[in-house]
Amino acid sequence: RDMERKANEAQASNFVGRHVAYGDLIKVRHSKTKGLLGIDIGRAPKLEPSAKKIVLHTRDSDPVRFRITPRFKSLAEGNTVCYGDSIALVSVDYPTESLHASEGFSSTPIGVVHEVNLAHEDARTGTAWEPHCFFPYTMHNDQLVKLGDVVRLKH
């Protein structure tokens, strides 16, 4: 298990800095907890019981892999993803479902809280996500998303 993790890390380090393209498969990692997005089949989301609940897994065994797809037909698989593009994150394990933000259900001092889940929705009409550079003042001035970049996903 430990050898597999080390092999995965070595392979991932070879790809760091490569531009992300539409059609690429990714795992989404939370920067503070280092947890990966995963599915909890045993519990249903509060607002949309027909959807699958998204949780943060601390182990690498149950992550959800997503295919990055363009939200609009003007872009196609193989095109490079730029910061601010409208993208959809489609599950590889459940290809008819994508990452979805439900309507806000509670208000907090920092804004409206949304529930994120995996739901049946068309990638072209469902929740649009926009990658934004987490570190706006980096050494490079490139607008292209690269593997290894820390990004904020906004909807």
Side-chain angles (χ1 to χ4, degrees):
R1 195 125 172 96
D2 194 40
M3 286 180 60
E4 180 183 357
R5 183 183 54 79
K6 287 180 182 178
N8 287 342
E9 288 173 359
Q11 183 179 11
S13 68
N14 291 337
F15 290 109
V16 170
R18 184 181 71 83
H19 292 165
V20 176
Y22 289 105
D24 283 354
L25 300 181
I26 63 166
K27 295 178 187 176
V28 179
R29 181 180 304 273
H30 187 259
S31 61
K32 286 186 180 179
T33 64
K34 305 296 185 217
L36 292 165
L37 287 191
I39 298 174
D40 185 351
I41 300 288
R43 295 187 300 166
K46 291 179 184 177
L47 296 178
E48 298 181 32
S50 63
K52 291 177 178 58
K53 186 172 184 72
I54 293 289
V55 295
L56 286 174
H57 285 296
T58 55
R59 58 189 196 283
D60 287 345
S61 61
D62 301 324
V64 178
R65 293 177 303 149
F66 295 99
R67 181 176 309 281
I68 301 174
T69 59
R71 182 95 159 135
F72 302 109
K73 292 183 179 182
S74 60
L75 297 167
E77 282 196 19
N79 289 34
T80 304
V81 178
C82 297
Y83 289 114
D85 280 359
S86 288
I87 63 173
L89 297 171
V90 179
S91 170
V92 173
D93 299 325
Y94 302 94
T96 60
E97 299 182 9
S98 60
L99 197 63
H100 167 74
S102 64
E103 296 296 321
F105 64 89
S106 68
S107 217
T108 66
I110 61 168
V112 177
V113 176
H114 296 271
E115 185 177 64
V116 176
N117 51 48
L118 203 61
H120 288 282
E121 64 180 8
D122 184 11
R124 305 263 185 222
T125 59
T127 301
W129 298 93
E130 289 184 6
H132 292 273
C133 187
F134 187 76
F135 302 111
Y137 304 106
T138 57
M139 295 294 283
H140 63 281
N141 218 1
D142 203 357
Q143 289 300 309
L144 305 176
V145 179
K146 293 183 212 49
L147 291 175
D149 282 358
V150 178
V151 298
R152 280 192 175 131
L153 287 175
K154 296 184 179 182
H155 63 91

